[in-house]
Amino acid sequence: MTTITVLADDNNSQSTITLNPSHTIANIDPLIYGGFTEHMGRCIYGGLYEPDNNHGLVNSKGFRIDVIDCFKELNVPVVRYPGGNFVATYRWQDGIGPKDKRPSRPELAWNGIETNQFGTDEFMDWCKEVGTEPYLCLNMGTGTLEDALAWLEYCNGNKDTYYANQRRKNGHTEPYNVKYWALGNEMWGPWQVEQHTKEDYAKKAIQWAKALKLLDPSIQLVSCGQDGCSDWDRYVIQECHSWVDMHSIHFYSAGESHYRNISSPYAAERAIQVTSALIDLARCEIDYSPWPNTARIYTGPRGKRRPKICFDEWNIWDAERAPGDKGAEEQYTLSDALAMGTWLNIFIRNCKELGMATIAQSVNVISPLMTSSTGLFKQTTYWPLLLFSKFMRGQAIAVHVQCAAYKGETRPEWIQSTCTIPKLDVSAATDGEWVNLAVVNVDENSNFETELTVLGSQSEVEVFIVGGESHQLTDFNSQGKEVVKIQETVWRPEGSTKFTFQKHSFTLLRWKM
Ligand code: AHR
């Protein structure tokens, strides 16, 4: 939680950030640093898997070693797979067994051909190498409940049954124990093969949830949401909340100009808040009163279990700039890195509501990580992600910020009348030993000298800066030329409690408690 006092623009010198490390607000679920790999563009083939690479970049299984190293560096705890829109026509059975027997199929989401050379067993092997948990999305488009049950049995079955034996026959004796399963992807979307109405989806999701949990009660299910602020979300949460463990929402931020770009993630913050309210609303029990003319009595939320939000597609993406059917290879600028910092601040501020978040996507497709056959490079957006994943863990801390605010045009437009967009976007966290303060100075031109009221006795503060005075907002990285990266220094306050946040920068400050 961050509260904001907006200063007049000419009061820049009076910016303050106030926090007390003991004022913790909620635990940060490590699963918010999850990833997503879809059979789309060069994410799987050429990203995760490139058996033909002859530049020494793959291991004996054909997995890109440099990509695995980045996933390890980012400490990615969970990875969603295999889609995305791709999943709506995916036959998981095509992707198992001897590779020369696997069929190639037309792929309808991105208008390609799926060779099925990378399937369930390869993904599980890859997850093991990375040290991450799989999160599988079920095909509720052309797929049947029978297919879904069979996939669950293939992955988690430990008895002498057909699909568990198929897995054993394919060389995998032990069950994979996949814990997280999504009930379809963007089933509301007109682009979806087998688009559903909310009523049809909810009815089907409940039946699927019942059967899947009968087969394996240990799994966690995720219902398919929209952007968190829609009637689809309201209805699906109302109908399905007692059957699922999380409700998913998707949002991609974007904007043609810098300020529109950095205002856009606030729609996601609002979406988290609205979805959270919808969950509470759905849990309200209505009792029928025995008294005439008082038909209903509100008795408050029921049950102990409250589903959390799974933000399983989020990122910065302008689909006109980087179309999906052309591989969606976004080139991220410093402005996008600042939007990324704001996205992650939003997750920390609202961590109480979030059970998981998986950035869409993790390699090549709208991704912080780009490969070529000869190497990889880290986009501007990689660095805030790395700093958050490394340091913003444990518990979120309440913060009060006093600074100027941006009041111009936003994207979406409704943000302007709904949210305050501070020039300093802030979140804070503590692991009990260190205090970590993440600050995005979104201002194009102004540095902000800021009073940090939490400091005082600190002799040394570690400082990590992305962007700042020596950069342009349009700076971007490319292979062999990582212009935007982390600048690491130490700040010795020596009595001063004022730190200057450079114009258009992301800064992470950390000090021992
Ligand atoms: O992540 C790219 C695509 O965006 C996903 O396939 C889909 O779910 C969303 O529309």
Side-chain angles (χ1 to χ4, degrees), residues 197-338:
T197 63
K198 58 184 186 301
E199 291 83 5
D200 286 347
Y201 172 76
K203 195 171 162 201
K204 186 164 157 182
I206 291 169
Q207 294 310 314
W208 281 43
K210 186 172 66 185
L212 291 159
K213 288 223 179 184
L214 277 174
L215 182 59
D216 185 348
S218 74
I219 59 172
Q220 293 214 356
L221 290 174
V222 182
S223 53
C224 168
Q226 194 172 337
D227 59 6
C229 299
S230 68
D231 200 43
W232 173 284
D233 290 292
R234 180 198 61 76
Y235 185 83
V236 169
I237 292 171
Q238 180 72 46
E239 295 299 305
C240 303
H241 71 94
S242 53
W243 294 94
V244 298
D245 304 276
M246 287 184 264
H247 178 75
S248 98
I249 57 175
H250 293 177
F251 182 72
Y252 292 97
S253 69
E256 318 73 45
S257 62
H258 169 61
Y259 285 113
R260 284 193 181 167
N261 194 28
I262 57 86
S263 65
S264 189
Y266 289 90
E269 182 152 40
R270 201 66 188 140
I272 295 170
Q273 292 157 357
V274 171
T275 308
S276 165
L278 291 176
I279 292 169
D280 284 340
L281 189 66
R283 293 172 74 234
C284 291
E285 194 161 278
I286 293 170
D287 267 4
Y288 289 91
S289 162
W291 305 106
N293 304 326
T294 51
R296 293 166 166 204
I297 296 175
Y298 165 77
T299 61
R302 64 187 158 186
K304 282 194 183 138
R305 227 178 34 81
R306 183 181 185 273
K308 287 202 168 187
I309 297 167
C310 178
F311 217 129
D312 58 13
E313 283 189 33
W314 69 272
N315 205 342
I316 301 126
W317 182 21
D318 183 332
E320 277 175 27
R321 196 167 56 194
D325 57 358
K326 304 235 166 11
E329 303 207 358
E330 278 275 22
Q331 182 183 67
Y332 290 117
T333 61
L334 174 58
S335 173
D336 296 321
L338 305 188

Side-chain angles (χ1 to χ4, degrees), residues 36 38 40 80 83-86 110 185-186 191-192 250 252 313 317 360-361 365-366:
F36 170 35
E38 173 168 2
M40 175 180 175
R80 182 173 180 246
N85 295 341
F86 167 80
W110 309 112
N185 170 73
E186 296 189 355
W191 51 84
Q192 215 56 247
H250 293 177
Y252 292 97
E313 283 189 33
W317 182 21
Q361 299 188 5
V365 177
I366 36 174

Side-chain angles (χ1 to χ4, degrees), residues 39 41 86 89 104-115 325:
H39 285 249
F86 167 80
T89 57
S104 286
R105 305 260 188 208
E107 194 288 298
L108 300 186
W110 309 112
N111 200 18
I113 292 175
E114 176 51 50
T115 62
D325 57 358

Side-chain angles (χ1 to χ4, degrees), residues 387 391 462-466 486-488 506-508 510:
L387 290 168
F391 301 130
E462 292 182 8
V463 181
F464 303 85
I465 302 175
V466 179
I486 299 170
Q487 308 152 53
E488 207 175 323
F506 168 72
T507 305
L508 193 139
R510 64 190 314 257

Side-chain angles (χ1 to χ4, degrees), residues 30 33-34 68-78 130-132 382 386 389-390 393:
Y33 298 118
I68 289 177
D69 287 346
C70 288
F71 272 77
K72 284 185 176 165
E73 182 180 46
L74 289 170
N75 198 0
V76 181
V78 65
V130 169
T132 192
Y382 187 90
L386 177 64
S389 177
K390 259 180 139 167
R393 288 177 180 266

